[in-house]
Structure formats: C-alpha cells, structure tokens
Amino acid sequence: MYLYHFGLRELPFTLTPNTHFFLGLEPHNEALAVLITALQTGEGFIKVIGEVGTGKTLLCRKLLNEIPKHFVTAYIPNPYLKPDELRRAVALELGVRQAQRMSVQLLTQRIQQKLIDLHKEGRSVVLILDEAQALPEESLEALRLFTNLETETRKLLQVVLFAQPELDERLSQTNFRQLRQRITFSYKLRAMTSIEVERYIEHRLQIAGYKGAALFNSRLCKKISKATQGIPRLVNILCHKMLMLTYGQGHFQINTSHLKAAIKDTEDTQLPLIDLRWVFTGIILITLFIGAYLYWDFRG
Ligand SMILES: Nc1ncnc2c1ncn2[C@@H]1O[C@H](COP(=O)(O)OP(=O)(O)OP(=O)(O)O)[C@@H](O)[C@H]1O
Ligand SMILES: [Mg+2]
C-alpha cells in the first residue's frame, strides 16, 4: 500500500467512522451541542437527520464518548427490530438480567423498575438508535410508549434517533403525528462546503501522520467537493483512490487526471462540470473585444 510512499502511519481515508479522525466541522459541532443541550433539558425525543455518508454514525459514537457522566446510555446500532426484540435489546443494554426469557409484560415492568432505580441514583437514561429510518412502524410506536414513562418532573427515558431523510418522510404520515409531536429537538446535518472539504482532507492526512507539502491543492479540493457534493464518505473514497493511483505511478503530486480516474471508478460521484459563469464571462469579453475592434476599424 501507499503508507510508506507518502510517509503515513495509517490509512487516512478509511470508511470506518473512527472518532480518532473526527474533525469538528460546523454541522457536526452544532449537532453535538444541540444533542447535549436537549438531553440536559430532559425532553423525550431528539432526532438527527442526514443524507447517506454525512457522518451520523461517527456523531453517534462521538456522543457516546462525550455525553456527561450522569447519563446512562443504551446504544442500538441496527434497529431493524420488532417491538419485542427492541424491548429485549433495550433491557440488555440497561443490564436487566435474564431479559431473553421473560414475558413481554414482565420485561416492560423490569425495564420500568430499572429506569426508576437509575433515576433515584441521579442518573438519566438515553436510548440512542442509529439507522432509525429502518425501524418498523410498530417499533416506532413502542419507542413512543417507552417515553411515556416519567416522574412528575421528568422523563425516565430519552431517545435520540439518527436517521436518513426517509425517516422524515415516514413521520410525515398522519399515523405518526403523536410521535412527531414528541420530537422536541431535531437537527439536519448538511454536507461540507468546499472550504470544509479542503480542511477535512488536510485534517485526515495530518491525523494519519502526513508531514509533507500539501498533497491535494486548493483547486483540486474544490473539484473533489463538486464531484462528491461535500459528502464525507465519498470524499474518503475518492481521496483513497487518488492516493493509490499516484502511488502506482510512483509520483507524489496528485492531479486532476487522478481525480478523473477515481470518479470514473466510483458510484455517486460525477465529473465537475465546467463553471458556466466563466463561459459566459468569456463570451461577453470576446464579443466586446470584437465589437471594439470592428468599431475602430470602421472609424479608421
Ligand atoms: N466530521 C468528520 N470528521 C472526520 N471524519 C468524518 C466526519 N464526518 C464524517 N466523517 C467520515 O465520513 C465517513 C462516513 O461517515 P458515517 O459512516 O458516520 O456516515 P453515516 O451518515 O452514518 O452514513 P450512512 O447513512 O450510510 O449510515 C466515515 O469514514 C467518517 O469517519
Ligand atoms: Mg451510519
């Protein structure tokens, strides 16, 4: 691989959402701040929506690492679970013993008791679900019922949903209006701007141990940003392929031909189109130039 060639300690553009590579970009920082503030206020439901590959799972992991100590977290990475399976998964996460064998009724009682015990100890419980767009309808309803458990002053269980925009489409249906009204905080993750893409690439290279001159210049980063529409996962895929191609040729400088080759080989990316503003400016300048020339020619 290209590690030695570029003087890297580790691969800079892997697809695993590893918090070691986290860069505090505006959308991710804002989302974290919204999450922590909302959780402190103790309000039932919170959701974070983001397109595929915008960093939801990474943010989820970051939240798990950074959430204040008095919170107890139950993390469900893959919620394609029926209500009963979801209840058992929550029970297991909360340390309810023998959850696999209990009847639904007993299980619900035990979860409730566990939540009350933790509340008495001054702990708040947060259930975090990634890929929440995959939750079956009945499980979404089961979640809503979970958040009915409350003391006089606060909820015993708060829920954070990380999901692709499909969840919003589903929640807009009338049968979900009760759940929709429970969602007191929501945040929409946006893609990176072209300046952020440049910072992002530099940051990941630096974390991976790169110390040399810039491998991806600003113009190239702008093109990468357009080709990927600022989606972090697509940026990772393209940059990794460009590093491989450059290494394969024994070169050190990455250029547009590497980008073009990487785009050809990558789904969901597209060759940046020529900027039409420049084309129009060019046409206007040429017209003015010809006009001025003909005018002077005519007068002379
Ligand atoms: N702020 C960031 N700093 C560093 N890396 C990031 C950042 N945001 C996203 N990434 C990287 O982008 C890639 C995709 O992120 P992630 O898997 O979290 O996306 P996702 O939104 O969960 O995608 P999906 O919808 O497919 O589940 C990962 O390699 C992740 O490390
Ligand atoms: Mg994910």
Side-chain angles (χ1 to χ4, degrees):
M1 215 28 132
Y2 53 70
L3 289 184
Y4 181 75
H5 182 75
F6 290 110
L8 295 161
R9 265 195 314 271
E10 57 188 313
L11 290 173
F13 298 109
T14 52
L15 299 186
T16 342
N18 180 349
T19 51
H20 164 63
F21 277 102
F22 181 81
L23 169 64
L25 295 164
E26 190 184 70
H28 296 110
N29 278 346
E30 267 181 19
L32 265 182
V34 167
L35 282 167
I36 305 271
T37 316
L39 289 173
Q40 304 276 23
T41 63
E43 297 283 339
F45 261 97
I46 306 161
K47 83 179 153 70
V48 176
I49 300 288
E51 273 297 343
V52 176
T54 44
K56 297 179 295 296
T57 302
L58 182 67
L59 203 58
C60 216
R61 294 185 180 173
K62 195 76 183 147
L63 176 68
L64 287 167
N65 291 347
E66 296 199 353
I67 196 162
K69 290 280 173 287
H70 69 277
F71 284 103
V72 174
T73 52
Y75 174 49
I76 309 220
N78 173 17
Y80 199 75
L81 302 169
K82 294 190 196 112
D84 191 30
E85 294 166 331
L86 181 67
R87 248 176 246 121
R88 283 179 210 285
V90 172
L92 278 176
E93 279 287 299
L94 293 178
V96 172
R97 276 192 231 130
Q98 296 185 324
Q100 297 295 3
R101 295 195 211 143
M102 286 175 207
S103 67
V104 171
Q105 203 181 4
L106 189 57
L107 190 66
T108 313
Q109 271 174 22
R110 287 284 164 81
I111 293 175
Q112 195 163 357
Q113 190 54 49
K114 187 79 190 182
L115 293 174
I116 293 168
D117 292 348
L118 286 165
H119 178 71
K120 283 187 187 148
E121 290 169 22
R123 318 285 306 271
S124 296
V125 184
V126 185
L127 175 60
I128 302 176
L129 293 110
D130 197 5
E131 306 268 6
Q133 74 282 348
L135 269 163
E137 187 170 332
E138 319 82 68
S139 306
L140 274 168
E141 182 57 12
L143 269 183
R144 187 183 69 79
L145 294 176
F146 264 142
T147 58
N148 276 348
L149 307 172
E150 57 194 354
T151 65
E152 295 222 339
T153 52
R154 52 186 300 138
K155 299 270 175 208
L156 286 175
L157 179 73
Q158 297 189 80
V159 179
V160 181
L161 304 173
F162 286 89
Q164 289 165 10
E166 288 87 323
L167 180 70
D168 273 347
E169 279 166 35
R170 292 183 59 200
L171 290 179
S172 65
Q173 296 162 19
T174 23
N175 50 332
F176 284 126
R177 69 185 189 287
Q178 232 180 329
L179 174 59
R180 215 165 48 228
Q181 285 183 6
R182 291 282 173 89
I183 301 176
T184 37
F185 284 89
S186 54
Y187 189 84
K188 205 157 198 167
L189 275 179
R190 62 161 172 80
M192 296 185 281
T193 63
S194 121
I195 293 169
E196 286 170 342
V197 167
E198 187 167 355
R199 264 184 69 207
Y200 176 85
I201 293 174
E202 258 173 35
H203 171 82
R204 293 196 71 111
L205 280 166
Q206 195 199 335
I207 298 288
Y210 182 70
K211 295 212 169 60
L215 280 175
F216 297 81
N217 65 37
S218 293
R219 280 186 60 200
L220 194 58
C221 289
K222 275 201 187 95
K223 287 181 183 162
I224 296 172
S225 169
K226 281 205 179 128
T228 57
Q229 288 162 46
I231 303 288
R233 184 181 292 130
L234 294 176
V235 173
N236 283 11
I237 296 174
L238 286 189
C239 289
H240 174 65
K241 286 184 180 170
M242 283 189 270
L243 287 172
M244 293 234 289
L245 288 164
T246 315
Y247 161 68
Q249 294 169 348
H251 295 163
F252 287 94
Q253 195 55 54
I254 302 161
N255 58 40
T256 316
S257 68
H258 299 123
L259 174 62
K260 281 186 184 155
I263 290 171
K264 247 189 179 169
D265 192 42
T266 309
E267 299 237 351
D268 294 335
T269 58
Q270 62 208 15
L271 277 171
L273 296 168
I274 303 165
D275 196 333
L276 285 179
R277 282 170 307 178
W278 289 110
V279 176
F280 283 130
T281 316
I283 292 172
I284 289 168
L285 283 176
I286 291 170
T287 317
L288 283 176
F289 181 75
I290 294 173
Y293 175 78
L294 290 175
Y295 176 72
W296 287 114
D297 196 34
F298 177 72
R299 284 194 63 187

